Amino acid sequence: MGGDQAQNSFRRGVMSMVILSLLKREDMYGYQLVQETEKSSGGRLTTQEGSLYPVLYKLLDQGYISDRKVLVGKRMTRVYYHLEPAAEPYLEDYKQEFEKINQ
């Protein structure tokens, strides 16, 4: 059971790093983040929108990203996520830790 929790925690951490890295390039909405994650990892990292949103909400709560709603068409609203300056040092530290682990 402890291994499952550690693996889930690691996966959420990796997803945080991936999301922040993608948002560093440009603002994106949820489904776009799912698509870009799969595309940029060559299909090795896939996620469902349902598991993406808890990570996004945590990053919002931490002040690393912000969100804005944009009306698309007459009735549809998309929520775009934006990387905040506070995330830059966090992202760099995370990348360094990740590289150390992978060595």
Side-chain angles (χ1 to χ4, degrees), residues 17-53:
M17 184 178 65
V18 169
I19 290 167
L20 294 174
S21 296
L22 290 171
L23 293 178
K24 189 172 183 174
R25 295 191 322 208
E26 67 179 293
D27 292 359
M28 294 185 191
Y29 56 95
Y31 184 65
Q32 185 181 13
L33 284 165
V34 169
Q35 291 177 313
E36 287 298 317
T37 297
E38 188 169 345
K39 180 180 167 188
S40 64
S41 71
R44 289 185 305 273
L45 184 60
T46 59
T47 187
Q48 301 295 318
E49 283 183 83
S51 58
L52 173 75
Y53 286 102

Side-chain angles (χ1 to χ4, degrees), residues 2-103:
D4 287 346
Q5 284 183 320
Q7 187 175 8
N8 286 339
S9 179
F10 180 75
R11 176 169 263 161
R12 280 191 301 274
V14 170
M15 281 308 300
S16 293
M17 184 178 65
V18 169
I19 290 167
L20 294 174
S21 296
L22 290 171
L23 293 178
K24 189 172 183 174
R25 295 191 322 208
E26 67 179 293
D27 292 359
M28 294 185 191
Y29 56 95
Y31 184 65
Q32 185 181 13
L33 284 165
V34 169
Q35 291 177 313
E36 287 298 317
T37 297
E38 188 169 345
K39 180 180 167 188
S40 64
S41 71
R44 289 185 305 273
L45 184 60
T46 59
T47 187
Q48 301 295 318
E49 283 183 83
S51 58
L52 173 75
Y53 286 102
V55 177
L56 286 171
Y57 297 149
K58 183 175 181 184
L59 292 170
L60 281 165
D61 289 344
Q62 292 170 322
Y64 294 143
I65 63 173
S66 58
D67 60 352
R68 66 181 162 83
K69 293 179 182 175
V70 175
L71 187 62
V72 180
K74 291 184 179 183
R75 296 186 184 125
M76 190 171 117
T77 302
R78 263 191 197 140
V79 179
Y80 281 86
Y81 298 93
H82 172 79
L83 185 73
E84 292 297 326
E88 296 281 345
Y90 173 77
L91 179 58
E92 288 308 311
D93 288 346
Y94 211 96
K95 282 181 180 179
Q96 289 175 6
E97 282 298 313
F98 188 76
E99 288 174 11
K100 284 180 191 176
I101 289 170
N102 282 317
Q103 288 180 353

